[in-house]
Amino acid sequence: MSIERMSAEELLGVDKFNVDEGEAHIVVKCECCLECSDKPCLYICPAQCYKLLDGKLAFDYVGCLECGTCRLACRQLGNSGVATWTYPRGTFGVSYRCG
Ligand code: SF4
Ligand code: SF4
């Protein structure tokens, strides 16, 4: 018996999201990102919620996997007051349906 491996894209495709349109669980005030030269968030987010648009950082919490990686990688998130990281309110956010 062999077990078929799924790609990361296939695994992400079966996740279900209940997006909280009324309250973002991660807030990035992108003006502070102008000072951030390395921008690790662009490389470490598995859901690619962080993007560069016209040279400026853009963030969208839709599709966030709640992994917490950006909270660890970004000096502004979670402890500075200029950006916030938390989990979505109850019943909102990602549901993992495979694994
Ligand atoms: S790592 Fe943090 S401060 Fe730097 S660009 Fe990303 S969100 Fe902005
Ligand atoms: S918690 Fe994870 S998936 Fe969500 S924005 Fe941060 S790095 Fe991306």
Side-chain angles (χ1 to χ4, degrees), residues 45-87:
C45 176
Q48 300 182 330
C49 294
Y50 296 85
K51 291 189 169 59
L52 265 189
L53 296 178
D54 297 328
K56 289 187 180 169
L57 191 95
F59 173 75
D60 189 351
Y61 66 98
V62 174
C64 171
L65 300 168
E66 302 165 33
C67 65
T69 310
C70 59
R71 181 178 184 167
L72 295 176
C74 172
R75 276 175 272 164
Q76 305 295 344
L77 285 169
N79 59 11
S80 69
V82 297
T84 56
W85 194 104
T86 186
Y87 289 106

Side-chain angles (χ1 to χ4, degrees), residues 7-96:
S7 67
E9 289 74 20
E10 288 171 322
L11 286 166
L12 289 172
V14 298
D15 294 338
K16 185 178 169 202
F17 296 91
N18 185 16
V19 178
D20 187 348
E21 307 279 358
E23 190 173 307
H25 64 288
I26 300 173
V27 177
V28 178
K29 294 187 179 170
C30 296
E31 57 270 20
C32 65
C33 304
L34 295 172
E35 313 280 313
C36 178
S37 54
D38 294 336
K39 295 184 173 40
C41 55
L42 292 174
Y43 309 102
I44 48 78
C45 176
Q48 300 182 330
C49 294
Y50 296 85
K51 291 189 169 59
L52 265 189
L53 296 178
D54 297 328
K56 289 187 180 169
L57 191 95
F59 173 75
D60 189 351
Y61 66 98
V62 174
C64 171
L65 300 168
E66 302 165 33
C67 65
T69 310
C70 59
R71 181 178 184 167
L72 295 176
C74 172
R75 276 175 272 164
Q76 305 295 344
L77 285 169
N79 59 11
S80 69
V82 297
T84 56
W85 194 104
T86 186
Y87 289 106
R89 296 188 290 178
T91 76
F92 291 109
V94 64
S95 297
Y96 291 98

